[in-house]
Amino acid sequence: MRFVLTMVFLGISLAACEEKPKEAPPPPPPEVTVLTVVEKDTPLSFEFVGKTVSSRKVEIRSRVEGFLEKRLYQEGSRVKEGQPMFQMDAKPFEADVLAAKAGLAQQEARLKTATINLNRVRPLARKKAVAQKELDEAEGNYYSAAAAVEAAKANLTQAELKLGYTLIKSPVSGLSSYAVQQEGAYIGMGTGSLLTYVAQIDPMWVELSISENQTLQYARQKRAGLVRAPENDRFTIKLLLADGREYAHEGVVTFADASISEQTGTFLVRAEVANPDDILRPGQFVRVLLQGAIRPHAILLPKIAVQQGKNGSFVWVIDDQDKAQYRAVEPGPWQGENWFIDDGLKAGDRVVVEGAGKLREGVKVSIASAKPEEGKAAAGDKPAS
């Protein structure tokens, strides 16, 4: 029995050793996510660093000499156009007005006497009752008195103007600064006449500098048809504040300097933006998104879809048989999270955006999803870099 059992177990072992191993199943095709390329006119946005500037900064100066009697505004407050800000000592100027009025009255009395005398002499001269000399003297006295009256009127006007200048008003609406001179100070002319300044902040100006290289690049792309300027070159701006928030009001470019600054090598561009809530103040640094230009028939891809190889930038394209194909591309500038593709792709191409690390030329893939609209920039996208 022992022999029989031994032989049975030995036969089973030999049969097991003679069985062939099973082949492993082939690995599944790599799964990728693709998007379908779409050509579309895409708004361009260029980012710069800008600085806010008062649209009208006016120095408040005294137009007459004298002692400062009173400050009539709260330092740093908003003032309106025509609002009194300082009061000079008006007494000397009031006296000048009284003297000018007296001088005018005196000259008017002389004119009245000269008029009566001329009216008396003229009829007598016609009748040859008086000498021609007397008529000439009467006419001369009359015209002299009339001129003296006009001069006296001018003196009175000048005196009244100087009296009016003692009440110093703001010529614009805006934010006031601190008072340079205090009550009791003697205010002279020239440099000593500065009292404060008022900065108009609605609207506000935003100034930015564009480098010569950027300007030349834009002109070159415009000639090549890669960029289309807005109608009438009416560029707009959006502002990003220091805390990252987008400013509520858009601005319009109103001025571009005609020449390059010799100190900085840049063009000065100025835009005007509404500031009804006083959020912007002069001297702030802001991020400026310059908008209005269009890139016609643009192709945009997410940055993760574009890879770098030894021969430059490339993407993986899925053909009609769902096989991966290597495709060299020429990327342009960035637009937010996307990348403009200047050359190498056309509308309808399916580009891998996820799973490209598993691919090689000719490998059949499994497409997880297709995103036909991804990569298309909207008007509010972040700027090209």
Side-chain angles (χ1 to χ4, degrees), residues 52-291:
T52 56
V53 180
S54 169
S55 56
R56 191 179 176 191
K57 183 178 177 180
V58 180
E59 294 180 341
I60 306 300
R61 293 180 176 272
S62 171
R63 302 175 73 172
V64 293
E65 295 186 21
F67 288 95
L68 182 61
E69 191 171 84
K70 192 174 183 181
R71 172 171 54 84
L72 304 176
Y73 78 103
Q74 179 67 36
E75 293 175 304
S77 65
R78 174 178 280 277
V79 297
K80 296 182 179 180
E81 182 179 352
Q83 177 179 333
M85 299 188 69
F86 295 94
Q87 176 65 63
M88 303 283 290
D89 183 10
K91 297 181 182 64
F93 302 96
E94 291 172 348
D96 291 341
V97 170
L98 293 176
K101 287 181 177 179
L104 176 59
Q106 182 180 15
Q107 298 303 328
E108 287 176 340
R110 285 184 54 203
L111 177 59
K112 185 177 181 180
T113 300
T115 302
I116 294 172
N117 185 46
L118 180 59
N119 292 336
R120 179 179 59 82
V121 171
R122 273 179 177 168
L124 296 176
R126 292 193 198 100
K127 297 177 182 179
K128 306 297 182 179
V130 294
Q132 183 65 33
K133 180 181 178 182
E134 291 188 24
L135 177 60
D136 294 341
E137 290 178 353
E139 289 179 344
N141 291 335
Y142 169 80
Y143 291 124
S144 176
V149 168
E150 295 301 321
K153 288 181 180 179
N155 290 337
L156 176 59
T157 300
Q158 188 174 20
E160 289 174 339
L161 282 174
K162 289 183 177 181
L163 177 61
Y165 292 155
T166 60
L167 182 62
I168 302 171
K169 302 177 182 180
S170 174
V172 296
S173 297
L175 292 178
S176 61
S177 182
Y178 63 90
V180 178
Q181 302 287 354
Q182 301 299 326
E183 290 87 341
Y186 183 81
I187 309 300
M189 301 298 291
T191 57
S193 64
L194 179 63
L195 300 175
T196 187
Y197 72 85
V198 174
Q200 181 176 327
I201 61 172
D202 186 20
M204 181 71 78
W205 284 349
V206 180
E207 293 183 347
L208 55 137
S209 297
I210 301 178
S211 71
E212 184 179 2
N213 288 338
Q214 290 171 314
T215 305
L216 294 174
Q217 182 181 10
Y218 173 78
R220 185 168 56 252
Q221 292 178 343
K222 186 177 177 181
R223 288 193 300 270
L226 296 176
V227 175
R228 186 169 67 235
E231 187 176 356
N232 299 324
D233 284 336
R234 185 176 175 83
F235 287 90
T236 61
I237 65 164
K238 283 186 177 180
L239 302 181
L240 299 178
L241 304 178
D243 58 1
R245 291 185 300 114
E246 185 176 300
Y247 184 61
H249 302 277
E250 286 191 356
V252 178
V253 174
T254 58
F255 169 78
D257 205 346
S259 59
I260 301 176
S261 170
E262 296 180 359
Q263 287 76 27
T264 62
T266 60
F267 287 98
L268 174 66
V269 174
R270 185 167 62 209
E272 186 175 289
V273 60
N275 188 33
D277 302 320
D278 297 352
I279 294 177
L280 300 178
R281 296 295 181 96
Q284 286 180 254
F285 286 95
V286 292
R287 291 165 59 196
V288 182
L289 307 183
L290 184 63
Q291 300 176 332

